[in-house]
Amino acid sequence: MELGGGAPGPGQPDVEHGGLHLLPRAVGALLSAYGWYLLLACVAIYLLVQKVSESARARRRSRPDPPGAAAEPDAVVRRQEALAAARLKMQEELNAQAEKYKEKQRELEEEKRRQKIAMWESMQEGKSYKGNLKLNQQETASSPSTSSAVPKPKPDKKPLRGGGYNPLSGEGGGACSWRPGRRGPSAGG
């Protein structure tokens, strides 16, 4: 037996010559059976890699400085001062609105108190307090007030139909005058 030289045995394939001629056939069979699927998978993997790399680049850009890096102290102080000034301004506006609201509530309470007193006095005198209340409301509406809403007087409206209109009577109607048919022996049946 010779080692390294000589012809291969019957059970040993010739790697240099015989095994290579089977490779193109196997690749061709694989591509003909699954070629489109392999192509689509390659395109999908390519697009996925592009998307992941873009998002990683965007994250690196959007992230300010790494946590270990020192930030400029002047910029931090300016930012904090601007934030504190904005908060103070908003708080002042809120306080002013609260004061206005409290003042309006006090005025409303005072008006209600006055109305109750007027109602009580009119009841003590034996007058109708509701009529007195309406007069007081008209007086307050005619005096200059802080609200811009002025009630408009309602114009006298005439009714759409005459006073004697009754839809169940069948009179005074317009074009619709339906009457049931006569009952009798000639009705058929």
Side-chain angles (χ1 to χ4, degrees), residues 37-54:
Y37 298 114
L38 289 173
L39 180 66
L40 289 175
C42 290
V43 168
I45 290 171
Y46 174 75
L47 292 175
L48 185 66
V49 168
Q50 291 294 324
K51 192 76 150 177
V52 168
S53 65
E54 275 184 34

Side-chain angles (χ1 to χ4, degrees), residues 18 32 58 67 76 80 85 89 97 108 110 112 118 121 123 129 157 171 175-176 181 185 188:
S32 68
V76 172
Q80 287 178 348
K89 181 181 176 185
Q97 288 176 354
L108 287 175
E110 182 65 26
K112 284 182 183 178
E121 288 175 354
M123 285 179 64
Y129 67 90
K157 293 183 180 179
E171 297 174 5
C176 181

Side-chain angles (χ1 to χ4, degrees), residues 39-180:
L39 180 66
L40 289 175
C42 290
V43 168
I45 290 171
Y46 174 75
L47 292 175
L48 185 66
V49 168
Q50 291 294 324
K51 192 76 150 177
V52 168
S53 65
E54 275 184 34
S55 64
R57 269 188 254 130
R59 250 188 258 131
R60 274 187 248 128
R61 278 189 227 130
S62 67
R63 191 180 313 158
D65 296 330
E72 291 184 34
D74 294 336
V76 172
V77 169
R78 280 194 304 262
R79 191 177 316 131
Q80 287 178 348
E81 287 175 353
L83 191 61
R87 284 182 183 151
L88 184 63
K89 181 181 176 185
M90 288 171 54
Q91 186 64 42
E92 288 174 356
E93 289 175 1
L94 184 65
N95 289 342
Q97 288 176 354
E99 273 302 312
K100 287 179 183 177
Y101 180 75
K102 285 180 184 177
E103 183 64 30
K104 190 180 256 187
Q105 289 299 320
R106 271 187 248 134
E107 288 176 4
L108 287 175
E109 288 295 323
E110 182 65 26
E111 182 65 30
K112 284 182 183 178
R113 188 182 66 81
R114 275 191 237 127
Q115 286 180 357
K116 284 184 180 180
I117 291 172
M119 185 173 63
W120 177 254
E121 288 175 354
S122 66
M123 285 179 64
Q124 292 296 324
E125 293 173 2
K127 296 179 183 175
S128 171
Y129 67 90
K130 290 184 180 179
N132 194 9
L133 184 62
K134 288 180 183 178
L135 289 175
N136 287 341
Q137 287 177 351
Q138 287 177 355
E139 289 173 6
T140 56
S142 64
S143 66
S145 63
T146 57
S147 66
S148 62
V150 177
K152 295 181 180 177
K154 293 184 180 180
D156 293 331
K157 293 183 180 179
K158 64 177 189 175
L160 295 176
R161 296 192 182 264
Y165 173 72
N166 184 0
L168 299 176
S169 69
E171 297 174 5
C176 181
S177 60
W178 178 82
R179 292 186 181 182

Side-chain angles (χ1 to χ4, degrees), residues 21-38:
H21 79 281
L22 294 177
L23 184 64
R25 284 186 185 165
V27 171
L30 182 70
L31 287 178
S32 68
Y34 301 107
W36 288 110
Y37 298 114
L38 289 173

